[in-house]
Amino acid sequence: MEDALVAEGRETAWKGISVAMRQEKSRSKTKRQSTKKQVRLVNYCPHCGNRAPQRVVHTQRYLGESYSVDGNLIGDDTPSAYYVVVCETCGEILVYHAEFEFVSEAEFAAATLLWPDPGILHGSVPQVVAGCYAEAQRIKHSAPNAFATQIRRALEAVCDDRKAKKGNLQKRLLDMANKGEIPPVLSKMTDVLRVLGNAGAHNITKGVKSIQVRGIEEFFRAVVEYVYVAPSKLKEFEETMRFLDAKDTSK
């Protein structure tokens, strides 16, 4: 009888130990998952214009394609990842992308920000123009009037770079349109920007409203795209085609 009680006690004890071990394992797993979900870095958020903590809420890994310089597929097993991140100041979502997974989840801020638009102009845009735009980006949410004024400065910088005739901004933009630097439709867009820029600088009672900021920015980006980006991309395409033609000819 005593042996049976001892055996029963041992069995109960082992069951208790087993349950405790499973619970501890579950707690450790939960803790690891919790720690993983708390990956965060301080980075600039285009939504709210702040440098703020950003927290990873989802990582989507996949195998992407890679190509040689002459455009041939060389593999479809390249480790890559998307990082979905939340800005802890405004609560908005940001999406980063790391090709070849060179950037780990813990360093997601070094990956390429896909959305929202980070506000970085193409490399073909002169630095003085890009600099004015970068300053405008930092204040577009907090100071719409100042944003419009800064975009106006960026347009002046475009006129200077393209050697437009001296005068007020409206006349300089018209000169660019007459020389074919910008098409008539963009001339009208830039005229709108000029009016809003003047409002931002001088008109206190009828200042630029937050809802107008996006339109101002889109108009400016359209001008930059036509004057700098599209010609640069066309040149790159033509150079690539010449390279491929020369390679085919040498075979």
Side-chain angles (χ1 to χ4, degrees):
M1 182 67 178
E2 184 177 346
D3 291 342
L5 290 173
V6 171
E8 185 178 350
R10 288 176 178 172
E11 184 179 352
T12 301
W14 278 113
K15 285 182 179 179
I17 292 172
S18 178
V19 169
M21 289 176 66
R22 286 198 300 270
Q23 289 175 340
E24 180 60 28
K25 185 176 181 180
S26 178
R27 281 195 295 269
S28 297
K29 182 178 179 181
T30 301
K31 185 176 181 180
R32 287 196 302 273
Q33 291 174 340
S34 176
T35 300
K36 184 178 179 181
K37 290 178 181 178
Q38 295 305 307
V39 173
R40 56 162 57 83
L41 292 172
V42 174
N43 202 28
Y44 175 73
C45 174
H47 288 298
C48 62
N50 294 305
R51 281 191 60 81
Q54 296 177 10
R55 173 170 44 89
V56 176
V57 294
H58 179 68
T59 297
Q60 184 64 46
R61 292 183 172 84
Y62 70 100
L63 297 178
E65 296 179 342
S66 56
Y67 295 84
S68 63
V69 292
D70 54 0
N72 293 321
L73 178 67
I74 57 176
D76 58 0
D77 57 351
T78 304
S80 303
Y82 290 98
Y83 302 126
V84 181
V85 176
V86 171
C87 172
E88 295 190 343
T89 293
C90 66
E92 289 278 8
I93 291 291
L94 302 93
V95 180
Y96 292 86
H97 181 239
E99 271 190 312
F100 306 107
E101 212 169 5
F102 285 148
V103 180
S104 68
E105 182 180 80
E107 302 169 325
F108 68 83
T112 301
L113 178 61
L114 295 184
W115 191 86
D117 185 342
I120 299 173
L121 296 179
H122 189 268
S124 61
V125 179
Q127 184 56 46
V128 63
V129 178
C132 289
Y133 180 68
E135 290 183 25
Q137 279 287 304
R138 289 193 285 269
I139 57 175
K140 72 177 181 179
H141 296 287
S142 59
N145 281 12
F147 169 80
T149 303
Q150 196 63 28
I151 291 295
R152 189 173 187 276
R153 286 186 60 197
L155 282 172
E156 290 278 11
V158 172
C159 291
D160 290 340
D161 178 66
R162 306 309 295 177
K163 303 295 189 295
K165 290 180 180 178
K166 296 298 181 181
N168 61 37
L169 181 59
Q170 183 178 17
K171 290 180 179 179
R172 302 191 77 189
L173 294 172
L174 181 59
D175 180 58
M176 286 181 63
N178 291 337
K179 292 190 298 185
E181 293 277 0
I182 55 176
V185 64
L186 286 185
S187 178
K188 293 178 182 178
M189 289 181 179
T190 50
D191 188 56
V192 172
L193 286 171
R194 175 189 58 78
V195 173
L196 292 175
N198 285 339
H202 308 299
N203 196 326
I204 299 176
T205 59
K206 294 183 179 180
V208 177
K209 296 177 174 59
S210 296
I211 196 171
Q212 295 173 307
V213 166
R214 179 178 294 181
I216 295 173
E217 183 172 20
E218 288 178 349
F219 289 157
F220 172 74
R221 292 291 291 260
V223 172
V224 169
E225 183 76 24
Y226 188 89
V227 175
Y228 298 112
V229 182
S232 175
K233 289 183 176 180
L234 178 60
K235 183 179 178 181
E236 290 176 5
F237 175 75
E238 290 173 342
E239 289 175 350
T240 300
M241 294 303 296
R242 283 196 294 270
F243 170 77
L244 294 177
D245 288 343
K247 188 172 183 178
D248 289 341
T249 303
S250 63
K251 289 182 178 179

